[in-house]
Amino acid sequence: MSGNVSMNLAENLVASIQHTRTAAIALAKLPTAAKNAALEAIAIALEQNSETILAANQKDVVAANAAQLPSALIARLKLDPSKLKSMVAGVRDVIRLADPIGDRQIHRELDAGLILERLSCPLGVIGVIFEARPDAVTQIAALGIKSGNGVILKGGSEAVNSCEAIAAVMREALEKLYENTEDASSHAVSPHVVQLLTTRAETLAILHMDKLIDLIIPRGSNQFVRYIQDNTNIPVLGHADGICHLYVDAAADLHKAVAIAVDSKTQYPAACNAIETLLVHNEIAPQYFPLALTAFQERGVKLLGCDRTQKIIDVLPAIESDWSTEYSDLILSIKIVDTLEEAIAHITTYGSKHTEAIVTENQTIADIFTSDVDAAGVYHNCSTRFADGFRYGFGAEVGISTNKMPPRGPVGLEGLVTYKYRLVGNGHIVADYAGTNAKAFTHRDV
Amino acid sequence: MSGNVSMNLAENLVASIQHTRTAAIALAKLPTAAKNAALEAIAIALEQNSETILAANQKDVVAANAAQLPSALIARLKLDPSKLKSMVAGVRDVIRLADPIGDRQIHRELDAGLILERLSCPLGVIGVIFEARPDAVTQIAALGIKSGNGVILKGGSEAVNSCEAIAAVMREALEKLYENTEDASSHAVSPHVVQLLTTRAETLAILHMDKLIDLIIPRGSNQFVRYIQDNTNIPVLGHADGICHLYVDAAADLHKAVAIAVDSKTQYPAACNAIETLLVHNEIAPQYFPLALTAFQERGVKLLGCDRTQKIIDVLPAIESDWSTEYSDLILSIKIVDTLEEAIAHITTYGSKHTEAIVTENQTIADIFTSDVDAAGVYHNCSTRFADGFRYGFGAEVGISTNKMPPRGPVGLEGLVTYKYRLVGNGHIVADYAGTNAKAFTHRDV
């Protein structure tokens, strides 16, 4: 029986995702104005239906409180009029972003009458699986629509009522606009471009739909992201670990080194761009440690140190596994190194290619660090917490990728786009460009 | 015993690839002139050692003939003075290509004194596994050096003597240049940046070295590429199938439709960008088929057709599996369709997102085709055989990717590059940009 049930689930799901895929093909061809009109309709509908959304969210919050879920989770889950207002503002921010589709990256005459273009185009359908954050629904949907992609959304189960209410409001707004648009199929965004999943079974099922889904963006715990990476053939954009380091060089300014270390660890300890390990050059450790210790103790940070650190300040011992642990909490491991090379080697061994920072007044040392460290972000004299799409000025982000291939780092609209080569001739064949009397290509950029 | 042997192999291999990785970190920082000097030294050495290389190649050719290998393979394997000359020219072509490293893609002030840059940088170490083509050794090595990447090469076993001779010549040239350069470690390309593997066991071993190798580029049979894709966590660039279609629309020019179909099938039938299936609109089939039949018969192409095709011309029946078969030979399957949408649906179902072409004089139809077909190349009124890095004017290619994410299509230097974000501040912390008295970002492009 359960086999039949899951068979039905899978069949229905395939049909409904196929529906989104078909809608996305039409979306790919819509002019910017039509996509922006859909986003504005969503923004207005969110404003008009704020009470419905807040009421649904209240149900989730009550359930979360009853289940005694962590207060940080409840804080992210809970909506209020001001948070809803910034969700609406976020959708309007995406309206203002440049349309990433149809950008002509290459325009080249290969020979007379044979013209090559490389054109940016949507990926197709994107599956985004995120935490119990209702505000992510509108943000990701807006980025999806603007980038011409269909979007399959799945939010954390604790936010299911909120996500359903928001998705329903968006869908109604798109339906109304679609119905009121003349020749809608080529002038309006189909309501099917955005689809919300609500069960774990559906999430697992879509991992196998590599013919229907072009990219999976998982956000959440390391374990969850790694599970997704290991269980799908669909390309995955994101990061499992966020093990970031700050290296305090011998030539560091002590004041900056304290402030940056404290900010990188404590400004939001659960963030992926918070540091887990502080590497300190032996020459500066005796002056730096007492200052840093005071600052960290004021903020309740538990410190763990290597043998040499323990000889200078009174901290608990760090063991081997600490160097590869993402605490996501007010805990910091500390290691003394003798050289820049040792610091870089430690980062190469234990880092997750996310964001790595150095504090130094020595420009040569800084240049070696930012060149030789392999990470999406390499920082000099500033906090690792700046690694974020909003702070980079991308308007919005779908996540942060620690992949080696682009897109990496904070990924905004641009990362939801690929390209295709369009070649237009007038009967051109390759035989004319081969052999003894081969014609030559002109290869002239237009 | 064999366990120990393979343990030793793996340990030695890890050490030697680590050596290449270390060399690649230095290579990443070299100025363009140093990389070009290395390439010129390789070009000269290839010229000076042509007899040694041709003698080694002769051994491979004798063995291949003795083993009665296919003549196409032997043709690709065999070097002669003119082929060697074009290998040298190919290396010098790469010298003339723009350096893809250090390109500043973003340069933005986030706030006063806090400057973000996005800089192109090498991937690290690339593993390229290719056919029995000695000329690929110099081409891939040149692209690797120019893009600042270490390269692990493995050629087809039939070319082992040729590949070893060429690799030795390149290595000696780099060694001599390195020894004769003052402060060589920061002014010359290390001879360790290029490494040749010669056994299958080594190839299999590197698939597991995801800490040491950043990208695998497999070239060869579908089966081989799929094996690589299924057996490594390292990103793979390439294509398994090359199932390309030509759609002859009702509004096609008959003359162009014949010439393009013949070229797309026969100009080099073993190529991945040759077509396997011809889709023909029912309205034009009665006029088109007799012309096409004659042209294909002249070139010895075996034709297989759907039921409706068989009613118009005398061809063998095509069965379901034909639509998903890459013949790589003078065989072509033909299907009649009633609409553009049916043609596109067939391509969506059976195509491999490589290169898809339409012949039509109707611009609207062409626009729908090139927009709605999801492939790296979408062509109008020209042969699919143009899908190639040289023909696109990229100077050289490492392969053709059918991935959805960039780089896709023919991949040249640009596809061997990633980027990192460098953020430089002067003690900047995120706490100053959060909360009630939050500073605003300026987000001003410099």
Side-chain angles (χ1 to χ4, degrees):
Chain A
M1 282 300 281
S2 93
N4 284 340
V5 169
S6 65
M7 184 80 83
N8 284 340
L9 161 76
E11 274 173 24
N12 292 338
L13 194 58
V14 164
S16 93
I17 290 177
Q18 182 62 57
H19 215 158
T20 296
R21 193 162 188 89
T22 306
I25 290 171
L27 173 63
K29 286 184 283 196
L30 288 184
T32 307
K35 296 189 281 191
N36 286 344
L39 296 178
E40 182 57 29
I42 288 174
I44 292 170
L46 290 170
E47 289 171 333
Q48 289 174 342
N49 294 279
S50 59
E51 284 180 26
T52 317
I53 294 170
L54 291 174
N57 179 251
Q58 187 54 27
K59 280 195 217 169
D60 287 331
V61 173
V62 167
N65 278 318
Q68 297 185 303
L69 295 181
S71 58
L73 187 150
I74 296 176
R76 280 197 297 270
L77 173 61
K78 190 173 168 49
L79 293 179
D80 57 31
S82 123
K83 218 164 162 186
L84 205 53
K85 219 166 153 181
S86 65
M87 284 167 61
V88 172
V91 173
R92 293 203 168 108
D93 282 344
V94 175
I95 294 178
R96 280 187 290 273
L97 293 177
D99 191 332
I101 299 304
D103 185 26
R104 188 153 60 189
Q105 304 164 339
I106 292 178
H107 192 193
R108 181 174 298 164
E109 180 198 86
L110 302 190
D111 192 12
L114 185 63
I115 306 295
L116 179 73
E117 293 168 288
R118 188 166 88 182
L119 302 167
S120 66
C121 60
L123 287 167
V125 175
I126 299 168
V128 187
I129 309 161
F130 52 98
E131 324 83 291
R133 290 180 67 149
D135 50 334
V137 178
T138 52
Q139 192 189 334
I140 297 164
L143 288 169
I145 290 172
K146 187 74 180 236
S147 62
N149 290 291
V151 187
I152 311 294
L153 294 162
K154 168 67 173 68
S157 57
E158 304 86 350
V160 66
N161 290 297
S162 316
C163 292
E164 285 190 326
I166 295 167
V169 167
M170 292 198 302
R171 188 183 181 94
E172 275 164 40
L174 293 178
E175 272 168 2
K176 204 183 293 177
L177 183 64
Y178 195 84
E179 281 160 18
N180 292 332
T181 304
E182 214 174 313
D183 194 7
S185 68
S186 52
H187 293 86
V189 173
S190 157
H192 298 290
V193 297
V194 178
Q195 189 175 154
L196 181 75
L197 307 182
T198 53
T199 70
R200 190 180 150 77
E202 291 170 319
T203 307
L204 296 179
I206 67 167
L207 299 182
H208 303 291
M209 299 184 186
D210 53 353
K211 279 268 184 188
L212 292 176
I213 297 179
D214 301 283
L215 181 68
I216 298 270
I217 303 178
R219 311 197 318 193
S221 74
N222 315 2
Q223 215 182 343
F224 168 72
V225 174
R226 203 165 296 119
Y227 178 84
I228 301 277
Q229 288 169 335
D230 291 344
N231 287 280
T232 184
N233 286 324
I234 303 171
V236 175
L237 196 77
H239 62 278
D241 297 311
I243 298 188
C244 305
H245 303 78
L246 178 69
Y247 169 52
V248 178
D249 179 53
D253 174 297
L254 285 173
H255 173 73
K256 291 179 196 170
V258 171
I260 291 171
V262 166
D263 193 77
S264 297
K265 179 71 252 184
T266 69
Q267 204 271 330
Y268 187 24
C272 56
N273 57 16
I275 59 168
E276 311 302 331
T277 298
L278 190 63
L279 301 168
V280 181
H281 195 284
N282 70 54
E283 287 172 19
I284 204 171
Q287 300 97 284
Y288 177 66
F289 277 158
L291 300 174
L293 184 69
T294 308
F296 280 121
Q297 281 176 338
E298 275 172 16
R299 282 154 188 89
V301 179
K302 178 176 152 192
L303 301 177
L304 310 170
C306 68
D307 291 349
R308 292 165 76 188
T309 301
Q310 293 174 60
K311 284 180 190 148
I312 303 177
I313 45 171
D314 182 24
V315 294
L316 293 165
I319 58 172
E320 172 62 26
S321 62
D322 279 302
W323 312 127
S324 45
T325 299
E326 184 175 5
Y327 303 110
S328 299
D329 202 349
L330 289 172
I331 306 171
L332 181 70
S333 59
I334 304 177
K335 186 181 181 181
I336 289 182
V337 295
D338 292 327
T339 59
L340 169 67
E341 289 66 35
E342 192 186 340
I344 293 175
H346 182 97
I347 290 169
T348 303
T349 305
Y350 299 103
S352 55
K353 300 194 200 304
H354 192 298
T355 305
E356 304 291 351
I358 184 172
V359 184
T360 186
E361 299 300 305
N362 181 323
Q363 188 62 47
T364 307
I365 295 277
D367 288 344
I368 295 173
F369 182 90
T370 56
S371 172
D372 289 4
V373 167
D374 175 16
V378 285
Y379 285 19
H380 176 204
N381 285 348
C382 56
S383 167
T384 56
R385 290 275 303 125
F386 283 106
D388 172 276
F390 289 97
R391 289 174 198 139
Y392 279 10
F394 296 169
E397 69 172 36
V398 285
I400 293 183
S401 169
T402 54
N403 292 352
K404 191 65 180 273
M405 304 285 287
R408 72 193 306 221
V411 176
L413 266 187
E414 182 197 26
L416 302 180
V417 160
T418 184
Y419 53 73
K420 56 167 69 167
Y421 289 94
R422 179 163 71 185
L423 184 63
V424 179
N426 186 27
H428 290 71
I429 59 172
V430 166
D432 291 337
Y433 300 85
T436 28
N437 288 314
K439 288 179 76 175
F441 289 104
T442 55
H443 287 156
R444 192 175 55 80
D445 283 331
V446 180
Chain B
M1 280 300 282
S2 93
N4 284 339
V5 170
S6 65
M7 183 81 83
N8 283 340
L9 162 74
E11 274 173 22
N12 292 338
L13 194 58
V14 164
S16 92
I17 290 176
Q18 181 61 56
H19 215 156
T20 296
R21 193 160 187 90
T22 305
I25 290 172
L27 174 62
K29 286 183 283 195
L30 288 184
T32 308
K35 296 189 280 191
N36 286 344
L39 296 178
E40 181 57 29
I42 288 173
I44 292 171
L46 291 171
E47 289 171 333
Q48 288 174 343
N49 294 278
S50 58
E51 286 181 24
T52 317
I53 294 169
L54 291 174
N57 179 251
Q58 187 53 28
K59 280 196 215 168
D60 287 331
V61 173
V62 167
N65 278 318
Q68 297 185 303
L69 295 180
S71 59
L73 188 150
I74 295 176
R76 280 198 296 269
L77 174 61
K78 192 174 163 52
L79 293 179
D80 56 31
S82 121
K83 217 163 160 186
L84 205 54
K85 220 167 152 181
S86 65
M87 284 167 61
V88 172
V91 172
R92 293 203 168 108
D93 283 344
V94 175
I95 293 177
R96 281 187 289 274
L97 294 178
D99 191 331
I101 299 304
D103 185 26
R104 189 154 57 189
Q105 303 164 340
I106 292 177
H107 193 193
R108 182 174 296 162
E109 180 198 87
L110 302 190
D111 191 11
L114 184 64
I115 305 296
L116 179 73
E117 294 168 288
R118 188 165 88 182
L119 302 167
S120 67
C121 60
L123 288 167
V125 174
I126 299 168
V128 188
I129 309 161
F130 52 98
E131 325 84 291
R133 289 181 67 149
D135 50 334
V137 178
T138 52
Q139 193 189 334
I140 297 165
L143 287 170
I145 289 171
K146 188 73 180 236
S147 61
N149 289 291
V151 187
I152 311 294
L153 294 161
K154 168 67 172 68
S157 56
E158 305 86 351
V160 66
N161 290 297
S162 315
C163 292
E164 284 191 326
I166 294 166
V169 166
M170 292 198 302
R171 188 184 180 92
E172 274 164 40
L174 292 178
E175 272 168 1
K176 205 184 289 175
L177 183 64
Y178 195 86
E179 281 160 18
N180 292 330
T181 304
E182 213 173 316
D183 193 7
S185 67
S186 53
H187 293 85
V189 172
S190 157
H192 299 291
V193 296
V194 179
Q195 189 174 155
L196 182 74
L197 306 183
T198 53
T199 70
R200 192 179 149 77
E202 290 170 321
T203 307
L204 297 179
I206 67 167
L207 299 182
H208 304 291
M209 299 184 187
D210 53 353
K211 279 270 184 185
L212 293 175
I213 297 179
D214 301 283
L215 181 69
I216 298 270
I217 303 178
R219 311 198 318 196
S221 73
N222 315 3
Q223 214 183 342
F224 167 72
V225 174
R226 203 165 296 118
Y227 177 84
I228 300 277
Q229 289 169 333
D230 291 344
N231 286 280
T232 184
N233 285 323
I234 303 170
V236 175
L237 196 77
H239 63 278
D241 298 311
I243 298 189
C244 305
H245 302 78
L246 178 68
Y247 169 53
V248 178
D249 179 53
D253 174 297
L254 285 173
H255 173 72
K256 291 178 196 169
V258 172
I260 291 171
V262 167
D263 193 78
S264 297
K265 179 72 249 183
T266 70
Q267 204 269 331
Y268 187 24
C272 56
N273 57 16
I275 59 168
E276 311 302 331
T277 299
L278 191 62
L279 301 168
V280 180
H281 195 283
N282 70 53
E283 287 173 18
I284 204 170
Q287 300 97 283
Y288 178 65
F289 276 159
L291 300 173
L293 185 68
T294 309
F296 279 122
Q297 281 176 338
E298 275 172 14
R299 282 157 188 88
V301 179
K302 178 176 152 193
L303 300 177
L304 311 170
C306 68
D307 291 350
R308 294 164 75 187
T309 301
Q310 293 173 59
K311 285 180 190 149
I312 304 177
I313 45 172
D314 182 24
V315 295
L316 293 165
I319 58 172
E320 172 61 27
S321 62
D322 279 302
W323 312 127
S324 45
T325 298
E326 183 175 5
Y327 303 111
S328 300
D329 203 350
L330 289 172
I331 307 172
L332 181 70
S333 58
I334 303 177
K335 185 179 182 182
I336 289 182
V337 295
D338 292 327
T339 59
L340 170 67
E341 289 66 34
E342 192 186 340
I344 293 175
H346 182 97
I347 291 170
T348 302
T349 305
Y350 298 103
S352 55
K353 300 194 201 301
H354 191 298
T355 304
E356 305 292 351
I358 184 171
V359 183
T360 186
E361 299 300 306
N362 181 324
Q363 188 62 46
T364 308
I365 295 276
D367 287 344
I368 295 172
F369 182 91
T370 56
S371 172
D372 289 5
V373 167
D374 175 17
V378 285
Y379 286 18
H380 176 204
N381 285 349
C382 56
S383 167
T384 57
R385 291 275 302 125
F386 283 107
D388 172 276
F390 289 97
R391 292 175 197 137
Y392 279 8
F394 296 170
E397 70 171 36
V398 285
I400 293 183
S401 169
T402 54
N403 292 354
K404 192 66 179 276
M405 304 285 288
R408 71 194 305 218
V411 175
L413 267 187
E414 184 197 24
L416 302 180
V417 160
T418 184
Y419 54 71
K420 57 167 69 167
Y421 289 94
R422 181 163 68 186
L423 184 64
V424 179
N426 186 28
H428 289 71
I429 59 172
V430 166
D432 291 338
Y433 300 84
T436 28
N437 288 313
K439 288 179 76 175
F441 289 104
T442 56
H443 288 155
R444 189 175 58 81
D445 282 331
V446 179

